[in-house]
Amino acid sequence: MDEQSPLANLRAVLQSAKLRKRQTATSVAALSGLSRTTVSQALNSESVPSKETLAALAPVLGLSLEALLTMRQTCLTVPPPDRARPARRAPAGDADFETRYRNYLKTRHGSLTVVGLDLRGPAASSWPLDAAYLSLELSEPDGRGQRVERAERALRRSGPTLIKGLAGSGKTTLLQWIACTAANGKLTAPDEPRRSLIGFVLPLRSLARLPRLPRPEEFLSAVGCPLAAVQPLGWTDRVLSSGRGIILVDGLDEVPEALRDRARQWLLELVAAYPQARFVVTTRPTAVSEGWLTGFRELTVRPMSRADVSVFVGRWHAAARQSAADADVRTHLTDLERDLKEQVRVKRDLANLTTTPLLCALVCALHRDRRGQLPHDRMELYQAALSMFLYRRDHEREVVAPEGILLSETESARLLQKLAYWLIRNGRNELRRSTAEKILTRALLSMHAVAQQGDAGRVLDHLLARSGLLRCPSTDSIDFVHRTFQDFLGAKEAVEAEDLLLIAGHAHDTLWEDVVRMAVAHARPGEAATLLEEVLTRSDREPEHRKRLVLLALACLRHAPELDAEVRKKVQRRAAKLLPPDGWSAAEELSLIGPLVLDLLLGPAELTAHLAWTSVHTAQLIGGDGALAYLKPFSQVPDARVRSKLCSDWDGFDPNEYVAQVLAPMPDELPMIEVRDPRQIPALHPLRARQVLVSGARTPQEITNLPHAGHITSLGIELNPALRRLDWLAGAFPSLEALRLAGCTQLDKLDSLGGTAITRLALADMPLHGLGALSTMPALRILQLRALDQLVPDRVPALLELTELNVDNADFLDLLDRWPALTRLSVSGSTFPHRGLGAPLPLLRHIELQGVDLTTLAAHRIPELPQVSEVSVSIPRGELAPLTVLFPQARTVTVVASRPGLNVDLAPLSSLSQLESLTVRGFASVSGDRGFAPGVVRPYRTL
């Protein structure tokens, strides 16, 4: 793109501001509330940032939102050079070929194989796509929250898209659906003219084995399309250049890690060459890092909801009834459908299994096969599925050797294990038929009973036809119907081949994560111990992989019912240093490892309040339905910090589900609930919340749409650069008692608050020059003023009824006589001392001093304050003796280190005759704590 374009200019302004502020993309994301991907895309990509993104970035980067929005509008109104060119007329032969190709796509991708539907033959297990496809939900970071939409809606928006989804989540089926829907002209947005798009479905598992990835004119031949030889010369280029093409790249995670950069470069070059074409790429979430594909929107496939599962179960049984000739069988299937829907609804373990289309199909098949009796965990599920696929179906139906080959369940499994392990060991998800035959030929040398029935080719044909686990995506390639079965069988073969060191050597690779866990499950006790010991040894040698390896070892313990006690303790000791996370940064680092962590975090009953808070923070950063299930029990934790955390960082979840499962079950009155995403507003309706904080560029209309506004007593409005007036506030919130305004950079007057019943007011980071309006607020009793750089303290009026004052400017201490009724005072700042502390404040009982050098304060002979009974100080040095001079009658004292690495001696405080409670936090070491009466010094935690 031309570097002088409006978009380039906008990016340059954002990047310069970031450098000027000396910030990183991570710090900008943290301060703005945006995801790192959104920040990176705004700074670097060829996509125009949304209004919401710019509104969040402007205050953080110190830029004018109005100027940014003007630049954004310019980007939208100036067409890119490619669009300005007159359209090229397509040759006459293109239209006929496109009709043939669209029909091919609809036939080739218009049906899919449903796992476990019927194993009597390939045709019987085929399901028409229009009947089989279950609309998936996709989530996308959006401004300050997550946009959750059905796939058909989310994918109508243009721009390169990366779809992340777990194994079996339906990514491949989604691409099939896109190809067919695009060919039928149903993928365009509602405001666009309906037109057919040309899809190019490119499975990377097949392409990765080519010497190089294909050029556009080679797309059809690379995937074995029989029409490749007759496509018009230059046709693919014309389709993509005209914006009628959609490139569907399946399985970025199925490319060997060493070749992944090659695939990325290939994709980015295609995007650069054809900016008008659409791109959709799929991958497992852990295969690539956030922002790895620059300029791509990142959407995540959400686990199936309970409603989705019910729909899937209904469709699965409907398809099964269509293939059943007997009326009694159809009736039985109807009964099974009803029973399974009820079991999924009431059994939590079963509900946790049915989170993807693959697992849901397996459960349906096993429920039918076992007449309603189902496994309880995933390993048991996979083993039962294999037994059903490889033996029971044919045996119980008396289907005997239709291809002239008769294999036992064990024989079939052993042969499939050989194929699966070759794929895993070579970093592939697909192998040539000739390679498969060579692998089976070697296996048959030691399987005499099988070898007598036929050669490797015939045995392979039997496995393809009867196992239900192998398929031929093209005439010369073979793969497993799903990576899960490949990992399960390959891990078993690796264990039987005693390749434990090889498994451990790949344990850092996210593609081997399930292989390692399944290998521990398959292994005998001694083998499992050896494997875990080697993983821990690697964690010592390789610090860059240490946390992932240790946590993976811990995750494996649940799959090892019998294991050497010392090995188990060794793994648990290593993991104890990482779990639970002991602070903010530790939680953020753990969250980067991904959903694996959710299986390892402790529940609320096993955690202190502090560790419960950090664990909740970790789960909220990971997000998704797994995190939601983890967070649900924390709604019963009584600790105020944990309850507030649950209410403040929930924009990464489906708002209705989060309210129903986490917030609504909370006993007693809810803490302040933070709203960052407008979709959270209607979700609050069941709560009748009394305290709400609205963050971001929300309009007055959006704020007044808060459910039960007349019930709200405490309202916060933060980081709102669009808010200019407050004349709507009193009418919309008649019960309002407390108001917090912070980061409202266009709000410079508070006149509209006059005469209101507000008793508590907090103001921060706003362009206020004077606060005369406060004198017209007769009910005001509590006032907080912070980061008001333009405010001169003496322009704050005398408020004779004010009882609490919280300020970050020590100059206010010279004016304390304006507020004679103060009972609580909090001051921070390094400009002490101030003789104003000696003002007559007979009612002052609590004082908080933040970042104050007590020695300097005492040296200026500040008068003692005997009326103060509660003292809280954060100090840059560990000298405490001045507290006994300043506050001789103190009963409760809290001392906090204002910087890391401080030591403190508590002995001087033992002279306080009235002292009843002493709390100490954040110091590297504490001494002198033995001279106090029993129970005075509260338990403390050193760093």
Side-chain angles (χ1 to χ4, degrees):
M1 188 170 187
D2 182 2
E3 286 304 312
Q4 300 305 312
S5 68
L7 181 55
N9 291 335
L10 175 58
R11 289 201 309 265
V13 168
L14 296 174
Q15 291 167 351
S16 297
K18 179 174 74 74
L19 294 173
R20 187 170 62 252
K21 290 279 188 177
R22 297 183 179 180
Q23 292 180 347
T24 64
T26 300
S27 66
V28 171
L31 292 171
S32 65
L34 300 172
S35 71
R36 286 185 291 272
T37 298
T38 302
V39 172
S40 177
Q41 289 177 342
L43 295 173
N44 303 298
S45 82
E46 299 296 332
S47 300
V48 179
S50 68
K51 292 180 181 178
E52 292 80 6
T53 296
L54 293 178
L57 291 176
V60 174
L61 299 177
L63 297 171
S64 163
L65 176 60
E66 186 175 354
L68 291 178
L69 292 178
T70 299
M71 297 180 71
R72 180 181 184 274
Q73 187 60 37
T74 303
C75 295
L76 296 174
T77 55
V78 176
D82 285 337
R83 291 183 179 176
R85 294 174 185 162
R88 290 178 291 177
R89 179 175 298 179
D94 282 9
D96 291 340
F97 178 78
E98 287 176 14
T99 299
R100 293 181 63 191
Y101 181 63
R102 285 195 196 96
N103 290 335
Y104 165 78
L105 283 176
K106 288 184 281 188
T107 302
R108 172 68 178 81
H109 298 290
S111 62
L112 55 96
T113 299
V114 181
V115 174
L117 181 61
D118 198 318
L119 302 179
R120 287 174 292 181
S125 62
S126 181
W127 205 357
L129 184 63
D130 55 359
Y133 175 70
L134 179 71
S135 176
L136 299 173
E137 279 190 335
L138 304 178
S139 63
E140 174 185 16
D142 175 33
R144 289 186 168 273
Q146 292 281 329
R147 181 199 300 269
V148 178
E149 293 179 310
R150 290 292 176 182
E152 54 268 26
R153 182 177 180 86
L155 292 171
R156 284 193 175 113
R157 291 192 297 279
S158 59
T161 302
L162 177 65
I163 297 178
K164 295 182 175 182
L166 298 174
S169 60
K171 301 185 296 296
T172 299
T173 304
L174 175 59
L175 292 194
Q176 288 183 249
W177 176 84
I178 294 173
C180 294
T181 304
N184 288 324
K186 298 179 181 179
L187 197 64
T188 52
D191 57 347
E192 292 181 354
R194 178 167 172 171
R195 60 174 180 167
S196 296
L197 299 177
I198 307 297
F200 299 93
V201 183
L202 306 173
L204 276 179
R205 64 168 62 188
S206 300
L207 304 183
R209 70 188 187 195
L210 300 174
R212 58 172 176 77
L213 293 170
R215 292 187 290 265
E217 65 271 19
E218 300 169 332
F219 283 172
L220 300 192
S221 59
V223 297
C225 174
L227 300 178
V230 296
Q231 65 177 316
L233 185 64
W235 169 75
T236 309
D237 176 74
R238 289 190 292 276
V239 168
L240 297 176
S241 299
S242 66
R244 295 185 300 116
I246 180 166
I247 297 177
L248 306 167
V249 181
D250 189 26
L252 189 57
D253 56 289
E254 296 172 350
V255 177
E257 192 169 6
L259 301 179
R260 230 167 266 163
D261 283 338
R262 181 183 75 158
R264 173 169 58 178
Q265 188 60 35
W266 174 70
L267 281 167
L268 294 178
E269 288 178 358
L270 284 173
V271 172
Y274 299 103
Q276 304 307 316
R278 298 192 183 192
F279 293 82
V280 181
V281 182
T282 68
T283 183
R284 287 193 189 186
T286 54
V288 298
S289 59
E290 190 175 16
W292 187 79
L293 269 178
T294 305
F296 276 66
R297 296 165 55 213
E298 293 192 4
L299 306 180
T300 300
V301 180
R302 289 170 53 80
M304 294 170 68
S305 67
R306 282 170 291 188
D308 290 339
V309 171
S310 180
V311 170
F312 187 98
V313 170
R315 290 183 179 179
W316 191 96
H317 286 85
R321 282 191 294 270
Q322 288 178 9
S323 64
D326 189 281
D328 290 339
V329 173
R330 289 193 291 272
T331 301
H332 179 58
L333 283 164
T334 300
D335 293 339
L336 287 174
E337 176 185 346
R338 188 183 306 111
D339 176 68
L340 182 55
K341 286 182 177 179
E342 178 64 15
Q343 287 198 52
V344 171
R345 188 180 69 82
V346 301
K347 292 184 178 180
R348 182 184 175 191
D349 289 343
L350 189 56
N352 290 338
L353 281 178
T354 53
T355 56
T356 69
L358 172 72
L359 291 173
C360 200
L362 276 182
V363 167
C364 289
L366 286 170
H367 181 256
R368 177 185 180 184
D369 188 64
R370 292 183 161 201
R371 295 171 175 81
Q373 302 302 313
L374 287 166
H376 295 289
D377 63 55
R378 290 186 182 236
M379 291 297 289
E380 204 178 325
L381 176 69
Y382 299 146
Q383 188 59 59
L386 285 174
S387 178
M388 177 184 68
F389 287 164
L390 302 181
Y391 180 70
R392 290 187 56 192
R393 275 297 175 92
D394 281 354
H395 178 73
E396 293 178 8
R397 294 175 183 179
E398 299 182 355
V399 177
V400 180
E403 294 86 19
I405 303 290
L406 181 62
L407 303 181
S408 68
E409 179 180 337
T410 300
E411 289 168 337
S412 296
R414 287 191 177 279
L415 293 170
L416 291 168
Q417 286 172 205
K418 308 288 185 185
L419 300 175
Y421 190 38
W422 185 95
L423 289 167
I424 292 171
R425 199 172 60 247
N426 288 277
R428 295 285 189 269
N429 287 283
E430 185 178 282
L431 72 166
R432 293 181 184 277
R433 181 183 177 93
S434 57
T435 303
E437 290 183 2
K438 290 178 182 177
I439 295 169
L440 295 182
T441 297
R442 290 193 295 270
L444 293 180
L445 294 176
S446 57
M447 299 177 71
H448 180 70
V450 178
Q452 284 187 319
Q453 300 180 56
D455 60 16
R458 292 189 63 198
V459 171
L460 181 58
D461 287 337
H462 171 82
L463 293 173
L464 284 165
R466 307 308 308 170
S467 73
L469 297 177
L470 291 181
R471 64 179 180 180
C472 290
S474 66
T475 55
D476 187 38
S477 61
I478 292 170
D479 65 0
F480 281 81
V481 294
H482 202 276
R483 176 68 183 259
T484 296
F485 296 120
Q486 177 182 309
D487 289 347
F488 182 88
L489 289 162
K492 194 169 192 302
E493 179 66 18
V495 170
E496 292 177 358
E498 300 184 357
D499 280 345
L500 302 178
L501 296 183
L502 177 66
I503 299 172
H506 287 84
H508 68 285
D509 187 342
T510 56
L511 290 180
W512 282 67
E513 184 177 300
D514 284 344
V515 177
V516 177
R517 296 172 76 161
M518 291 178 182
V520 170
H522 288 307
R524 292 171 293 188
E527 294 167 333
T530 300
L531 177 53
L532 292 176
E533 286 269 23
E534 182 59 26
V535 171
L536 291 182
T537 299
R538 282 196 62 203
S539 74
D540 293 334
R541 282 197 315 262
E542 304 169 31
E544 69 274 21
H545 300 311
R546 181 177 63 87
K547 290 181 180 178
R548 171 169 286 280
L549 291 171
V550 170
L551 294 177
L552 179 57
L554 181 65
C556 288
L557 293 185
R558 70 182 55 192
H559 301 301
E562 185 179 352
L563 182 67
D564 180 84
E566 287 304 312
V567 175
R568 185 178 294 273
K569 289 178 182 177
K570 186 176 180 180
V571 172
Q572 291 170 335
R573 281 197 301 269
R574 299 287 186 89
K577 298 177 182 179
L578 303 175
L579 291 170
D582 61 2
W584 181 283
S585 59
E588 292 199 328
E589 289 179 10
L590 274 183
S591 71
L592 297 176
I593 295 174
L596 168 67
V597 175
L598 295 172
D599 293 338
L600 308 175
L601 291 173
L602 299 176
E606 304 168 278
L607 297 168
T608 64
H610 172 71
L611 295 178
W613 187 95
T614 57
S615 298
V616 165
H617 182 51
T618 304
Q620 288 177 324
L621 289 172
I622 294 171
D625 281 28
L628 183 62
Y630 173 76
L631 293 172
K632 186 175 180 179
F634 286 86
S635 64
Q636 305 304 308
V637 172
D639 182 76
R641 281 193 75 210
V642 174
R643 288 164 57 86
S644 294
K645 189 71 174 70
L646 290 171
C647 291
S648 64
D649 289 298
W650 55 292
D651 49 306
F653 299 87
D654 177 88
N656 293 304
E657 291 185 9
Y658 193 92
V659 166
Q661 298 189 40
V662 178
L663 299 185
M666 279 192 186
D668 307 320
E669 184 174 337
L670 290 167
M672 179 165 277
I673 300 175
E674 184 171 358
V675 173
R676 297 179 181 174
D677 187 324
R679 286 182 294 265
Q680 293 174 304
I681 292 176
L684 295 178
H685 196 274
L687 298 180
R688 294 186 65 83
R690 296 173 63 85
Q691 306 177 70
V692 181
L693 171 62
V694 181
S695 182
R698 307 277 75 85
T699 66
Q701 182 178 359
E702 287 179 299
I703 298 173
T704 57
N705 281 339
L706 284 168
H708 313 294
H711 187 70
I712 292 175
T713 59
S714 179
L715 177 67
I717 303 174
E718 289 190 350
L719 299 175
N720 193 328
L723 189 66
R724 296 175 179 272
R725 54 186 179 81
L726 295 173
D727 54 352
W728 48 272
L729 191 67
F733 300 96
S735 302
L736 197 62
E737 299 172 359
L739 175 65
R740 171 176 172 79
L741 301 169
C744 301
T745 53
Q746 299 297 317
L747 185 63
D748 57 4
K749 294 180 181 179
L750 302 177
D751 297 348
S752 301
L753 299 182
T756 62
I758 293 172
T759 61
R760 291 173 290 168
L761 179 64
L763 305 171
D765 193 20
M766 295 165 59
L768 298 171
H769 295 278
L771 294 176
L774 301 188
S775 61
T776 65
M777 301 174 65
L780 187 63
R781 297 292 182 271
I782 301 171
L783 178 63
Q784 181 183 91
L785 305 172
R786 290 187 169 270
L788 301 177
D789 297 338
Q790 301 178 44
L791 179 67
V792 179
D794 64 9
R795 298 194 66 181
V796 180
L799 302 168
L800 301 182
E801 303 297 325
L802 196 69
T803 59
E804 295 185 25
L805 179 64
N806 185 323
V807 293
D808 63 352
N809 185 343
D811 291 339
F812 279 94
L813 297 180
D814 288 334
L815 307 171
L816 289 180
D817 55 357
R818 296 189 180 188
W819 311 295
L822 287 182
T823 62
R824 298 175 68 91
L825 174 64
S826 176
V827 185
S828 61
S830 58
T831 57
F832 281 97
H834 275 272
R835 295 188 180 276
L837 269 178
L841 297 170
L843 302 179
L844 187 64
R845 295 292 181 267
H846 180 102
I847 191 165
E848 180 178 3
L849 303 175
Q850 301 177 20
V852 177
D853 188 330
L854 296 176
T855 305
T856 303
L857 190 61
H860 285 74
R861 300 180 181 178
I862 300 300
E864 69 176 40
L865 300 170
Q867 73 272 37
V868 174
S869 58
E870 299 180 15
V871 180
S872 178
V873 294
S874 66
I875 56 176
R877 295 197 297 175
E879 176 58 52
L880 299 180
L883 286 179
T884 64
V885 178
L886 297 171
F887 311 108
Q889 302 300 313
R891 295 177 180 273
T892 301
V893 176
T894 299
V895 183
V896 181
S898 64
R899 61 182 178 84
L902 289 181
N903 304 319
V904 67
D905 180 6
L906 302 181
L909 299 185
S910 63
S911 64
L912 292 172
S913 59
Q914 304 297 317
L915 189 63
E916 298 174 355
S917 173
L918 172 59
T919 302
V920 186
R921 294 200 304 267
F923 291 90
S925 66
V926 178
S927 60
D929 55 349
R930 296 185 178 181
F932 297 84
V936 170
V937 180
R938 300 292 177 89
Y940 53 82
R941 187 169 67 92
T942 56
L943 296 179

